[in-house]
Amino acid sequence: MPEGRRGIGVRIEEDLMTIRQVRTVDYHTGGEPFRIVPEPPAAIEGATVAERRMFAIGDPDVDGLRKLLCFEPRGHADMYGGFITPPDDEGAHFGVLFWHKDGFSTACGHGSIALAVWAVQTGRVARDPSGVTTVVIDVPSGRVTLRVRTSGERITGVDFVNVPGYRLAERVTVATSRGDVVVDVAYGGAIYAHLDAAGAGLAVTPEHYSDLIVIGREVKWALNDTEYARHPVDDRLSGIYGTILYDDLGDDGDGNPHQRNVTVFADGQVDRSPCGSGTCSRVAVLAATGRLAPGRTLVHDSIVGTRFHARIVEELTAHGRPAVVAEVTGTAHRTGEHLFELDPADDLGSGFVLR
């Protein structure tokens, strides 16, 4: 194996690779890719999606399939996708295991939006003639609901209603290569650290892309194994999933907060969209500080200029702390289908990543 290459863990040498072909359907949500695998050619065991995630993390065949589809030459360092699974029970239409270049995530808002569009476009969930079709998906962090809005055959938007989110810690000082910075930590299906980019001498713009990745990784790994990153009841959800660096742009002229963000997640992976679960986490922080109240909308832009709108649809208590249920509105677009193949004689067939 060439130095620096990451093998996929499937038994190519032993059985010439039982997974010869993999069919996918690809979408993007606000510029962020999402690769759907409707029929994963690997057994994913477990009674719930949360259990299947833990199985996938430790199973070389499932993890190998992730790498095959995510790594170059079929993917890239910022690829994202999901394996369709059965739901936890009859209350959901299906389940999904989210994945990226470094493993399996607990939540993914942009992926959920793409899945809802896919489910309606393919007829997996029957289109409601009222123009609003509800799609319910089981994800590792819980059950999420999406409302797909249509006009005739055209999808005009998707509302993503997430699990409850809440702030875990405020004004945590983190030492970085740019000096000490102050972050909040919040849960929105996954745990994120929130950093005002100006506090690190940066702005959320493409010219600062590399520097944003560096400090995003530094903050994540500084906090990942601390008590600030502990989920209050389920340690499978613990750890800093990503760092949200944001610019506060004031308001939109109607009293709604307007911000631009980039989410640096996993180990240096960059979300091109405003980040679905990250937006929910951002809503939790803004609600805790009083910046976002029910009836108001967070206008949330990405580093590439795409936009989500988010609002509080419920205030409640979760695990003994104030929490909110956020609804995020965006949409997704199909980019194509793939029938990927693996030639057992291909020395690079199992994939590699350079970052």
Side-chain angles (χ1 to χ4, degrees), residues 316-333:
L316 69 164
T317 299
H319 313 311
R321 66 192 70 215
V324 294
V325 174
E327 178 185 83
V328 177
T329 298
T331 194
H333 300 278

Side-chain angles (χ1 to χ4, degrees), residues 303-332:
I303 194 170
V304 300
T306 53
R307 177 172 290 178
F308 288 163
H309 291 90
R311 61 202 64 83
I312 298 167
V313 295
E314 185 179 357
E315 296 178 296
L316 69 164
T317 299
H319 313 311
R321 66 192 70 215
V324 294
V325 174
E327 178 185 83
V328 177
T329 298
T331 194

Side-chain angles (χ1 to χ4, degrees), residues 82-159:
F83 300 139
I84 302 301
T85 74
D88 292 357
D89 57 50
E90 295 181 354
H93 291 104
F94 53 90
V96 61
L97 286 184
F98 298 117
W99 46 258
H100 48 73
K101 77 175 179 67
D102 293 302
F104 294 89
S105 58
T106 61
C108 178
H110 93 272
S112 297
I113 290 171
L115 285 165
V117 173
W118 165 78
V120 171
Q121 287 182 333
T122 60
R124 190 180 186 110
V125 176
R127 188 182 302 240
D128 193 307
S130 70
V132 180
T133 303
T134 298
V135 179
V136 183
I137 307 174
D138 283 331
V139 307
S141 60
R143 178 163 289 173
V144 299
T145 300
L146 299 104
R147 292 187 290 271
V148 181
R149 291 180 276 110
T150 56
S151 176
E153 294 299 310
R154 187 169 67 93
I155 292 176
T156 59
V158 180
D159 300 326

Side-chain angles (χ1 to χ4, degrees), residues 32-348:
E32 179 71 358
F34 193 75
R35 177 161 286 168
I36 301 169
V37 188
E39 298 179 0
I44 308 175
E45 298 178 11
T48 66
V49 174
E51 290 180 7
R52 291 187 183 99
R53 174 175 177 263
M54 299 311 295
F55 175 85
I57 290 171
D59 184 79
D61 288 337
V62 181
D63 196 47
L65 179 60
R66 169 187 70 84
K67 294 174 181 176
L68 180 72
L69 297 173
C70 191
F71 286 6
E72 298 181 52
R74 297 169 188 83
H76 50 80
D78 295 290
M79 178 54 70
Y80 213 114
F83 300 139
I84 302 301
T85 74
D88 292 357
D89 57 50
E90 295 181 354
H93 291 104
F94 53 90
V96 61
L97 286 184
F98 298 117
W99 46 258
H100 48 73
K101 77 175 179 67
D102 293 302
F104 294 89
S105 58
T106 61
C108 178
H110 93 272
S112 297
I113 290 171
L115 285 165
V117 173
W118 165 78
V120 171
Q121 287 182 333
T122 60
R124 190 180 186 110
V125 176
R127 188 182 302 240
D128 193 307
S130 70
V132 180
T133 303
T134 298
V135 179
V136 183
I137 307 174
D138 283 331
V139 307
S141 60
R143 178 163 289 173
V144 299
T145 300
L146 299 104
R147 292 187 290 271
V148 181
R149 291 180 276 110
T150 56
S151 176
E153 294 299 310
R154 187 169 67 93
I155 292 176
T156 59
V158 180
D159 300 326
F160 163 57
V161 182
N162 198 14
V163 299
Y166 39 82
R167 187 170 63 181
L168 290 167
E170 58 180 308
R171 298 198 59 77
V172 179
T173 300
V174 180
T176 75
S177 59
R178 288 180 166 267
D180 288 353
V181 298
V182 177
V183 305
D184 286 349
V185 180
Y187 175 76
I191 297 175
Y192 294 88
H194 297 249
L195 171 61
D196 186 338
L202 297 170
V204 181
T205 56
E207 56 265 33
H208 289 127
Y209 180 79
S210 296
D211 291 331
L212 292 164
I213 293 174
V214 169
I215 195 166
R217 295 176 75 186
E218 289 178 354
V219 170
K220 172 193 168 84
W221 294 120
L223 295 176
N224 191 62
D225 294 322
T226 69
E227 287 305 307
Y228 299 118
R230 298 274 73 76
H231 188 274
V233 297
D234 189 346
D235 201 48
R236 293 175 300 184
L237 303 176
S238 293
I240 300 291
Y241 178 58
T243 302
I244 299 174
L245 298 110
Y246 65 90
D247 292 336
D248 195 325
L249 305 178
D251 65 50
D252 67 346
D254 294 319
N256 297 308
H258 183 195
Q259 298 190 344
R260 178 172 56 234
N261 91 98
V262 63
T263 300
V264 181
F265 65 96
D267 189 19
Q269 196 162 339
V270 175
D271 197 329
R272 273 75 174 146
S273 82
C275 187
S277 57
T279 295
C280 294
S281 179
R282 193 85 200 108
V283 166
V285 171
L286 294 173
T289 62
R291 181 80 190 281
L292 183 66
R296 291 299 189 185
T297 298
L298 168 63
V299 181
H300 215 208
D301 294 344
S302 76
I303 194 170
V304 300
T306 53
R307 177 172 290 178
F308 288 163
H309 291 90
R311 61 202 64 83
I312 298 167
V313 295
E314 185 179 357
E315 296 178 296
L316 69 164
T317 299
H319 313 311
R321 66 192 70 215
V324 294
V325 174
E327 178 185 83
V328 177
T329 298
T331 194
H333 300 278
R334 180 183 172 110
T335 60
E337 292 187 43
H338 292 92
L339 179 60
F340 288 107
E341 298 183 353
L342 175 58
D343 180 353
D346 183 356
D347 287 340
L348 291 178

